[in-house]
Structure formats: structure tokens, C-alpha cells
Amino acid sequence: MDFLLIQALSGLASAASLFLVASGLSIIFGVTRIVNFAHGAFYMLGAYAAFTLTDRFAGPLGFWGGLLVASLAVAAVGALMEVVLLRRIYQAPELFQLLATFGVTLMVQDLVVLIWGPDDLMGPRAPGFTGAFSLFGRLVPTYDILLILLGPVVLGLLWLLFHRTRWGVLVRAATQDREMVSSLGVNQKWLFTSVFALGVFLAALGGALQIPRTTVTHYMDLSIIVEVFVVVVIGGLGSVTGAFVAAVLVSELNAFGILVLPKISMITVFLVMAVVLVVRPWGLFGKPDAAPRASAGISVRPWKPMSALERGGVALVVLLAALLPFVSGSYALSVGSEILVFVLFAASLHFMMTVGGLASFGHAAYFGLGAYGAAFAVTYFGVPMEAALVLGPVLGLVGAVLFGWFCVRLSGVYFAMLTLAFAQITWSIAFQWVEVTGGDNGILGIWPSAWASTPQGFYWLALGVVVVGVAVLRMLVFSPFGFGLRAARDSGLRAEAIGIDAKRTQWAAFVVAGTFAGIAGALFAFLKGSVFPETLAIPMSVDGLVMVLLGGIETVSGAVVGAVVYKALAIWLMSQTELSKLVLGGIIVLLVVAFPKGIVGFIEDWRHRRPPAPNGAGPEAMGIAKVEAAQ
Amino acid sequence: MKLEVSGLNSFYGQAHILFDVGFEVGEGEVVALLGRNGAGKSTSFRSVVGLVPNRSGKVVFEGEDVSRLPPYEIARRGLGYVPEDRRIFTELTVEENFEVGRQEARPGVATWMPERIYALFPNLGEMRKRPGGHMSGGEQQMLTIGRTLMGNPSMVLLDEPSEGLAPKIVEQMADAIMTMKKEGLSIVISEQNLHFAKLISDRAYIIEKGRIRFSGTIGELEANPEIRDAYLAV
Ligand SMILES: Nc1ncnc2c1ncn2[C@@H]1O[C@H](COP(=O)(O)OP(=O)(O)OP(=O)(O)O)[C@@H](O)[C@H]1O
Ligand SMILES: [Mg+2]
């Protein structure tokens, strides 16, 4: 009994920081409608900045002052980011906003290592709160008690801020109707910036308060952001009270989950999130109408089947690709095989993003599941490569069936956050369940059959699988299923009216995409001869997104081109610079700023400037008008 | 002239909605913009206050061209806008809704305080702490007008202020608008028919399919039933 109480207290202490970060994310979203992926990065920066300041200035004033100054400084950085970057992209599709803030996250990861070094840092203890007191014969750190009290205090202060100040009233009004607020004479620009600064301040404070409890690491950003996404999905995006309740819930589940399932403690959180989503898809304290616009209309150009000329061109490209082994060495071939694998991965994501309107931030889960599936088949069942390439993707399929069922209940940013959370849960299982997955050490010795073991052989295998895979995906786009999917994307209600079960269709698309990602993953396992948790990690998911967006979202070939360009660039960058994340993040940010309406929007603008063609113009113009009306 | 609108062309996406719309409002005048469902009344108002991004034309308010200004700048110059769907902040109390609309006092213009608005709409005074979402349609209409008045405008655009209101509330609304006129405000109201507009307006314009079709006094309009029947709802 006493043990349980201690465990509960420790959970409550963890909840404080989680609440601070999650409430900041929620407040920012409420007003700006941007899901700030960089929130975890600001949390991490808060911890690092606080480390430096408290390291330099000792004593109570140095410590508490250091935490405060660190948080304020990071808030200023956040405000700067809002002014310089976000103001340019408030009109952009939400996917691009997520992507831009993700680009910032990548950059911060490298910058942090550059400034503070790669090693974990140990901060000082809080002066006056270094001890512990005994409760039922067990020790509870007094700092934990401080944190436990801090949570409700911050909740109360935020309440006062939002209900007792003019600024707070304006923020609450803008959360409901920004346009009306501006017609009443309020300059929203500064309202947005101040809201953003407050949200970032809360995140940084959450990080700074952690330094007496845990080491400061350069990967603390991704671990917190996933927990924060889970918290806001459970609590309801935009609700501070929801963030508080859900932060406590998630922290307690973590604290007790360790006891029940020590290896895979995330499972308990997952189960609770699943139940909440089924009962209240908009979260415990969220409002159904607060659901953001669906990411419909991401592709507006009507699809056309390929002309004979285009078919010939594709055949020629495939033929040239097949001849590559005769002219290039084995390094180039292994790079080529890797690029091919990612072509299939990107095409599968593209399928559900453009045709289905489902922009997943966790597509790597199914890629990784396919890879692990193949590895399990080889390691535990001793099957040959050919069978493993079929069995492996089945794991991806099963994962997509399970997770997809929940995800398609949401749309827009909620969908993106949930897919990300599921991917991260899959990652933590692969990472923590060492007996089965080998944990960080991965599974080694996944070699291809003899005929495919040369670089040439494997390249041809990959080419064959990928060409067939992409062709099948493209056929699906033009099948009745593909049209049903687009109907569901454009208007769920209208699709239902013509007899299409929108959710079921989207679920099917999710499963198709997951399965093809799994095929790519299984190939990847044999290409590398091993599987590691990184195959399921967030950067892998985002790689897929960038490929699709880079290539242009309108056509299947866009995903193919994007994958080739991006993967080649990434492999080259890795070999050229230590700071590949900084460069990559910078490229992503620049891309989003250069194409603030998305690449499609850019192309559309460009097309509008030309006189419309006499034949195809009618339906196209209508399609565009419809999409804009929907926005 | 208080407000001069000319050559207004507005678009929603590809759809051309307003065609060379123009109208004028004199100092202290009450003008009605009349037209059927979908004629373009709301779009005209939204274009004037800067809420339609895709529009061209000239909007001169108190001698200054405001057509390039963002909505908040237009509002701060004293041109208030009351939207047709009320758009009150449902989570905020009556008092908080007023707070959002509050602006500094403007020289030479009537200054509004919550107490003066409660005097204008006594119903609101009895529910100062009530969230806007828990109010009747008529009360919400009063709230949205009061909220705009809190910005001390010298002119207001009222989009269909009588829509969906009980006859008794409509009377109250007409009285309130007359009081606003006495305070020196210039007013444009949009309506689908003459019933309410003729109680309070000096002049009227009729808009149909995005074009101004008629301009004249209320008396002229009543003397020409064929115009009324052609362009207005009954
Ligand atoms: N957001 C929008 N997107 C596309 N078209 C719109 C939009 N809003 C209005 N329209 C169209 O513009 C035209 C004018 O609409 P508007 O709302 O200005 O009419 P109105 O005179 O105010 O009508 P009502 O009396 O019904 O309020 C209509 O044909 C309408 O369908
Ligand atoms: Mg209207």
C-alpha cells in the first residue's frame, strides 16, 4: 500500500513538467491553430539553458533565477521564430506548419550538440530542496513535493491570466473566432506572438524544472513531444484543464505501468488513449467543433490516366534502371537499392496522403514492423528470404489494421499526432522489449538468399518488387476503391450519401499503405542484414513526408522523384557533414517558406496566371473553387 | 460623405460575387442595403471592413482610403461591423464579450460603457455573467451590437439585425438603432425586405446578383411596388 502511494507521488511529480509543456502546446494551438512540433525542442533548450545558468550562478538566487531567466530567454527565441517563420505560414496547410516546426526541431538537435556537446549533463540540485523525507519508511524527495504543488499553482495562475486580464479575454475570444476579434479592432499579430511566447515559456520552464531530477540529454525533445501529443489527444487540444488532467493520468499510468509491464510500460498509456478516442474522439475536455479543418483538398488536380507517351517514358526509365548494374560499382548499387526501398515507402505514404487525405506522421511504424517481421521470420522460424519477404509485411499489415482503426476516427492534425504517437509506441516496444527485439542492439544476420546476395542480385530484386509495388498502388488510385477514397477525403458526408462507408474506406487505405510500407521495410532488413529500432523512429516517418512533399503531391511520380532526390541528397549530406540534421532542417524550413501554400498551391497559382486551356479548364476550375470554398 | 464605396469587385475563390458595387452614406444617415437571399449584402459589408481578401475597388471612410488596410485598422478608425450570424464568443460572459470590443474613447464620438449598453438593452443588464452561448437569439443580437458599440464607432454596418427575431424584439431593435442614430452614428443596415428597413432608414440601395439595381429614398421605393416585387423578398 505504502509502496503504491510512493509510486503515485512520483507519478504526480513527473506530471508537473508534462502539464507545463502540454498546456503550452494547447494554448498555442488554440489561438494560432498550429501544432508546434518544436515544443519538445524548446523544452530541451529550457533544460540546457537552465543547466548553463545554474552552473554559473550558485545559491538559491542563482538557481531559481537561472530557471526563470532560462525560460524567458527561450521564450524570446520562440517569439522570434513566430515572427520570422510562422507568420509566413499561417495560411499554409496544417501539414506544412507541422513540417516547418519539425524542421526547426531537427536544427535544434544539432545546435544543442554543437553548443553543449553530445554528453549527458547533470544539473545541480535545487537549493533548499535537496533532501528527502520519510513517508511510511520510504524516502520521498522534497523537490518532488515542490513539483507536485507547482502543477495546480500554474493551473491556477493560467486560469487567472485567462479570466482576469484583458489579454486573457482576448486570447479566449481569438481561440473561438479570430476573424471576429480582428474586426473588433484587435491587432492579432501581437496577440499571436505573445501567445506563442507564453506557450514556449511554459515548455522551457517544464524543461528547466527537470534538471534537478534527470540528466539533460540531446534526445529529450522527441521523448517529451510524443508524451505531450498523447496528453493533448487524451485531454483535448486547446484545453488547459484537459492538459492538466491528462498529464496526471499519463504520468500515473507510466508510474504504475512500470510495475505491471516493466518492459513495455507505454502499452498501458496506449490502451487508455485508445479507450478515450473511441468514447470521445475530441478528448476528455476538448470540444467536437474545435476539430480543425480536415486536410482535404491537398490534391486538387483531377487524375488522368497515363498517355501512351508517358507509358513509354516510364518503361524507358525502368529499363535504364535495370541496366544500372552493368555500369556501376557495388557501392552505387547498394545506394541504388536503398533509394528503391524508399521509393516504395514514399509511394505508400503518398497513396494515403493524397488520395486518402490522411497525412501520417508515423508511417515508419509500418516500415519498421515489416522489417522486424522479416527479421523475426528469419531468426525465430528459420524461413528463407523469399518467405520472409512475404511474412514480414504481414506484421506491418496487422499493425496498420490495429492502429489504423483508431487513427481514421480523427482527421487533420489530430490524425497526424495520433499516428506519430502510435509509431513512437511501436518504437518503444522495439527498444524496450530486449528479449524479443534485441533492443538497441537490434537483430543481426538477416541475409538474403544466395541468388540475391550480390549487390547486383539484390538491386534487381529490389527493382522488381518496387516497380510492381508502385504499379499496384497506382492501379489502386484509379480503381473504384481509389475514387471512393477521394470522395471520402473531399466530403465524408457526401461519400456516405452515395453509399461509401468513409471511415471503412480510409481504414482500408491505411492498411494498404501500411502493408506496402511493410514490404519496403522487409526489403530494407535484407539490404542492411539487420534491423534496429531506428527503422520505426520519428525521423524515418518525417523522411517519408518530406519525400512526398518535395516531389510534389499531385502525382504518383512525384513520390518517386521526391524519394530519389531526397534520399540521394540525404546520403550525400551524411557523408559530407556532421551537421546533416541542421542542414536538412534548414532545407525543410526553407521549402515550406518558399512554398507557403504547399507545392500544389504554388503550381496552382502558377497555372492560374496562364490563360485557361479551352478543353480541360471547366472541371478544373470547378474543382479549385470547391476546394477553396471548403477552406 | 461619411463612407464612399465605389467599384467594389469581390471574389470567393474563382467565383465573382460583387460587380462594381458602389454606395454612399452621409454623416448621421441611416441607409438600408436591401436584397434577397444570396444577393451579396453580407459580401458587400465584409468587403468594406476588409474581411474578403480577394477584392478590388475603393472604400473611402471619413475621407481616407481604407481599402488596403487590415480589418483591425479599419475598426480602429471607427467603422464598426456587426455580422449577420452574430458570432458572439460563446464561452465568454456578456461582460467579457464587451471587453473584447472595448477600444479607447475617440474624440468627437459618443463613448460607450457597459452601463450605457445595458440601458439600451435592459435584457443584457440582467445577465452580465452569463456565457454568450446560453442566451436566446434576440439577446445574442443585442450582445453583438453592444460589443461593436464598445469600440466607440462613428459608423456601424449592421447585417440583417432583425433576422429571426420575435416582433417584440424587432421593435426594441428599431428603438435601439434610432437611439444610436440620435447619438450621431451613421448606420448601414442590410435587410431582405422593407418591413424593418422602412422603420428606420432614410435611403435605400437594392442589390441583386452582386450589382446595385436601385438607389433612392424609402418613399420612392414604396411608391414603386414593381421594383420592390422584382428585387425583394416579401
Ligand atoms: N464563403 C463563400 N464562398 C463561396 N461563395 C460564397 C461564400 N459566401 C457567400 N458566397 C456566395 O456569394 C453570394 C452572395 O452571398 P452573401 O452572403 O453576400 O449574400 P446575402 O445577400 O448576404 O444573402 P443572405 O440574405 O442570405 O444573407 C451567394 O451566391 C453565396 O452563395
Ligand atoms: Mg447575408
Side-chain angles (χ1 to χ4, degrees), chain B residues 12 17 36-43 84 160 192:
Chain B
Y12 286 124
I17 305 291
R36 289 208 184 98
N37 256 327
K41 304 179 295 293
S42 301
T43 307
E84 70 182 317
E160 298 200 39
Q192 302 206 13

Side-chain angles (χ1 to χ4, degrees), chain B residues 1-6 21-33 44-45 48 58-63 78-80 154-158 181 184-190 200-205 212 215-216:
Chain B
M1 275 296 142
K2 187 79 181 168
L3 177 77
E4 299 170 68
V5 178
S6 56
V21 165
F23 56 91
E24 292 179 345
V25 185
E27 193 71 50
E29 211 182 7
V30 179
V31 171
L33 183 63
S44 300
F45 281 6
V48 168
K58 219 165 160 189
V59 179
V60 178
F61 178 63
E62 294 180 338
L79 179 50
S154 60
M155 170 165 199
V156 283
L157 310 180
L158 295 171
K181 181 180 166 146
L185 268 80
S186 314
I187 298 169
V188 186
I189 66 159
S190 85
I200 51 177
S201 317
D202 306 318
R203 285 191 303 119
Y205 290 87
I212 297 288
S215 148

